[in-house]
Amino acid sequence: SSGINSEYAEFQTFQHYFKQINLSMSLFPSLKAIKGICILDNDGKRVVSKYYDTDDETFASVKDQQQFEAKVFKATEKANSEIVAINSYTAVYRSNVDLFFYVIGDSRENELILLSVLNALYDSISMILRKNVEKRALFENMDSVLLICDELVDRGILMECDATNIVNRVHVKTEDIPLSEQTVSQVFQSAKEQIKWSLLR
């Protein structure tokens, strides 16, 4: 009987120890720092969105995602701060002309990490669009914008924060797209670049 009691007491000690470990681990930021990236227009309508934690019921379906986006847009449409708390999430954002750019993380996530992702996202898109950051230009370069998101974050893990490196990789990938798969704007842009360089020679 004393042996059983001793084993049970030892088991409880181990159980308490592992609970403490789990608790302490939960206080550290996850490697998967980014819950989502989205770009909305000035009416709060979705332009681009990528969510990396679809196990989270907030992002489980397109309808859930759009409901969350509506809350985020309402909270930031007239806000003065670049950081807002929405439920158990932190959203950082910036706007330009007719677009709102958002990076979303867990409420415990380091805001500086989220801001660095946001700045890399915006700066990369600005470089691709030649500083003409507005809805129409973004739609015309959607392939490159989606590639920027992929270079920036992979399954919620931050991969790169240097806008120049991101844009260089995107240029390499878009140059590898077969002519038949390129959009009209891409073909036109490529032709303009070739003419420009031929004139400079």
Side-chain angles (χ1 to χ4, degrees):
S1 176
S2 61
I4 294 173
N5 288 336
S6 175
E7 287 178 4
Y8 181 68
E10 191 175 335
F11 170 75
Q12 284 188 313
T13 302
F14 275 111
Q15 192 177 41
H16 175 73
Y17 174 71
F18 283 116
K19 278 183 179 178
Q20 290 297 108
I21 290 176
N22 289 334
L23 178 62
S24 63
M25 288 297 287
S26 70
L27 297 176
F28 287 98
S30 166
L31 181 64
K32 296 185 176 182
I34 312 304
K35 292 281 187 178
I37 291 172
C38 66
I39 304 171
L40 308 179
D41 67 15
N42 56 357
D43 293 318
K45 303 297 182 185
R46 175 186 288 194
V47 178
V48 175
S49 68
K50 282 183 170 282
Y51 291 95
Y52 307 103
D53 188 3
T54 50
D55 290 334
D56 187 326
E57 60 183 19
T58 303
F59 313 115
S61 68
V62 172
K63 184 179 178 181
D64 294 326
Q65 294 167 8
Q66 289 176 329
Q67 286 176 346
F68 179 78
E69 288 164 11
K71 289 180 183 177
V72 170
F73 182 73
K74 186 177 180 180
T76 58
E77 186 181 10
K78 296 176 182 178
N80 294 322
S81 172
E82 61 185 359
I83 302 170
V84 294
I86 308 287
N87 299 337
S88 58
Y89 308 98
T90 298
V92 296
Y93 78 100
R94 65 187 293 180
S95 60
N96 190 75
V97 188
D98 54 359
L99 293 171
F100 284 76
F101 297 78
Y102 298 92
V103 174
I104 299 136
D106 188 272
S107 60
R108 296 169 297 180
E109 197 53 66
N110 188 321
E111 293 168 357
L112 292 177
I113 291 175
L114 300 180
L115 284 169
S116 68
V117 175
L118 176 67
N119 290 333
L121 172 69
Y122 184 89
D123 292 345
S124 299
I125 290 175
S126 180
M127 290 166 71
I128 289 286
L129 302 184
R130 292 171 172 77
K131 298 186 178 180
N132 182 30
V133 183
E134 52 93 24
K135 186 176 175 180
R136 182 178 175 181
L138 191 143
F139 271 123
E140 289 175 351
N141 293 270
M142 185 60 77
D143 290 347
S144 294
V145 172
L146 293 174
L147 284 172
I148 285 170
C149 293
D150 290 342
E151 290 292 334
L152 187 57
V153 177
D154 181 23
R155 290 171 292 180
I157 301 170
L158 174 58
M159 303 301 291
E160 175 66 76
C161 260
D162 186 294
T164 303
N165 290 342
I166 292 169
V167 170
N168 286 339
R169 287 180 194 150
V170 167
H171 276 313
V172 168
K173 290 185 177 180
T174 51
E175 285 170 5
D176 290 340
I177 300 173
L179 188 62
S180 60
E181 294 180 17
Q182 292 184 22
T183 64
V184 173
S185 63
Q186 285 175 320
V187 174
F188 182 63
Q189 187 61 43
S190 177
K192 282 202 303 184
E193 291 291 330
Q194 288 177 20
I195 292 168
K196 182 181 77 173
W197 286 113
S198 66
L199 291 173
L200 291 172
R201 284 173 185 168

